[in-house]
Amino acid sequence: MVVRKDFTIRQVAETEADKLTNIHAICFPRYWNRDVFTDFFAVKDTFAFLVEEGQEAVAMLVYRVAFDQAEILTIAVLPAYRKQGIARKLVEDMLEKCKSLGVEKLFLEVEVGNDSAIKLYETFGFQHINRRKLYYQQLDGSLTDALVMMKKLW
């Protein structure tokens, strides 16, 4: 799986939790520590894709499958690598894997105001199905809403 010749995408497991944590810490003000990622992998059918440029980890996507449903737990691209189609390729690869596993519906939560992410999901056919009030906590302690989005695969 290649985004362009200098980027590679590979499926990873708990052994790469440090790389996933580092990307998350750079991309989110309230990032998840290594234990969160190792806990994810302790649950059956949790998958992650890692994008690398050479030896540098630049993006990731973590998702979980449960029966005929899946949920994107997190997706992140380092700021210097955004607007290069990496997030789009991650979502495409995840959708392909979900279809091969028999997933019928895919869910995610995205922060209100994250317009580029919302637009990306909408281009893949995700629809707004709910709003979680005061879901994301900011560094200053304030809370922002999350949009719950869903896509039917079949």
Side-chain angles (χ1 to χ4, degrees), residues 31-79:
Y31 66 91
W32 295 338
N33 64 32
R34 186 181 197 289
D35 291 341
V36 171
F37 287 99
T38 57
D39 287 350
F40 282 155
F41 289 112
V43 177
K44 183 180 183 270
D45 294 329
T46 299
F47 303 96
F49 289 120
L50 182 67
V51 179
E52 295 170 305
E53 181 182 43
Q55 297 299 312
E56 183 181 5
V58 302
M60 56 90 167
L61 183 147
V62 181
Y63 65 103
R64 179 171 293 144
V65 175
F67 304 104
D68 63 347
Q69 297 183 4
E71 179 182 8
I72 297 175
L73 300 173
T74 189
I75 181 172
V77 178
L78 294 181

Side-chain angles (χ1 to χ4, degrees), residues 9-109:
I9 301 175
R10 61 189 176 94
Q11 190 168 315
V12 297
E14 182 180 347
T15 56
E16 304 288 355
D18 288 334
K19 290 180 180 181
L20 301 174
T21 303
N22 289 340
I23 293 168
H24 207 268
I26 292 168
C27 294
F28 296 101
R30 287 204 168 283
Y31 66 91
W32 295 338
N33 64 32
R34 186 181 197 289
D35 291 341
V36 171
F37 287 99
T38 57
D39 287 350
F40 282 155
F41 289 112
V43 177
K44 183 180 183 270
D45 294 329
T46 299
F47 303 96
F49 289 120
L50 182 67
V51 179
E52 295 170 305
E53 181 182 43
Q55 297 299 312
E56 183 181 5
V58 302
M60 56 90 167
L61 183 147
V62 181
Y63 65 103
R64 179 171 293 144
V65 175
F67 304 104
D68 63 347
Q69 297 183 4
E71 179 182 8
I72 297 175
L73 300 173
T74 189
I75 181 172
V77 178
L78 294 181
Y81 294 90
R82 293 178 184 162
K83 306 294 182 195
Q84 297 181 44
I86 295 171
R88 175 176 302 281
K89 180 64 173 155
L90 283 167
V91 173
E92 287 172 355
D93 287 359
M94 184 234 11
L95 288 171
E96 183 179 310
K97 176 75 172 177
C98 285
K99 286 177 184 176
S100 75
L101 295 171
V103 171
E104 295 179 13
K105 292 181 183 177
L106 182 61
F107 297 88
L108 63 86
E109 287 135 356

